Amino acid sequence: QTQNAATRHGEGGQGLAAIMRAQPDLTISDITMPEMNGHDLLVEIRKNHPLHADMPFIFLSARAGRGDQITGRSIGADEYLTKPVDFELMHATINSRLAQVQRIRERQFQMLLTLFQAIAGKTEIGGPIECEIDFDSLHALLDAQGHSVRQLLGLISKGMPH
């Protein structure tokens, strides 16, 4: 079951605050906005917010020229859609990027699970390892992946097919 929610902000700074607060799976942004434009918003996210730097970012703009699209992609946009909106193309683009986010999360979770199995001595990667685990950081990472510490510990205790 997935939840989809959208918020709308007319200014890039408001959008940035909403991204930091809501941690969305992707962002769709216009370029022309007051105070902080879409280019500045994207650069700010990619450069100064590492937890959100890999979030898919889509420009949806009336600036349809080839140069505008090249500029948008050059500064890090994953997609560049133009107005008037082709809703079928936009729908396919959003679904494709959300599927990519899900694949990345699943792969990261599997890698994290393998790491913790190795730490617990449950895999062939290595024997028991003495280390301290920062559970606050682990919890934050798992929350970002949509999993709980309880799920991870349950999977480690059961073992996982390799």
Side-chain angles (χ1 to χ4, degrees):
Q1 181 180 1
T2 59
Q3 284 185 317
N4 296 316
T7 61
R8 182 175 179 216
H9 302 279
E11 194 273 315
Q14 294 171 351
L16 178 62
I19 289 166
M20 297 302 112
R21 186 175 52 255
Q23 301 182 10
D25 290 333
L26 76 112
T27 294
I28 300 173
S29 176
D30 199 345
I31 293 172
T32 307
M33 296 184 288
E35 296 182 40
M36 176 185 275
N37 67 37
H39 290 156
D40 294 340
L41 173 62
L42 174 57
V43 169
E44 173 68 20
I45 291 168
R46 297 285 196 245
K47 184 177 179 183
N48 297 317
H49 301 279
L51 290 177
H52 305 289
D54 293 328
M55 170 189 60
F57 195 100
I58 302 169
F59 277 128
L60 177 60
S61 178
R63 294 182 174 186
R66 183 174 183 273
D68 294 312
Q69 293 183 43
I70 290 170
T71 298
R73 288 179 181 274
S74 294
I75 63 169
D78 297 293
E79 300 284 349
Y80 195 108
L81 302 174
T82 59
K83 298 174 183 177
V85 179
D86 177 335
F87 288 101
E88 190 175 356
L89 177 59
M90 184 170 76
H91 187 259
T93 300
I94 291 169
N95 284 339
S96 173
R97 289 298 173 169
L98 289 175
Q100 177 186 19
V101 167
Q102 187 60 37
R103 287 189 308 272
I104 291 169
R105 282 186 177 158
E106 289 171 6
R107 187 176 67 244
Q108 287 174 337
F109 183 73
Q110 295 303 319
M111 290 168 46
L112 187 60
L113 180 58
T114 300
L115 172 65
F116 277 92
Q117 286 177 327
I119 290 170
K122 301 272 186 186
T123 69
E124 298 169 5
I125 292 176
I129 300 170
E130 288 188 33
C131 67
E132 291 184 25
I133 298 172
D134 178 355
F135 284 101
D136 289 334
S137 296
L138 173 61
H139 185 67
L141 176 62
L142 291 170
D143 275 351
Q145 301 301 315
H147 297 286
S148 69
V149 172
R150 185 178 307 238
Q151 285 174 306
L152 178 64
L153 294 175
L155 288 171
I156 290 171
S157 68
K158 291 178 189 174
M160 217 181 100
H162 302 295

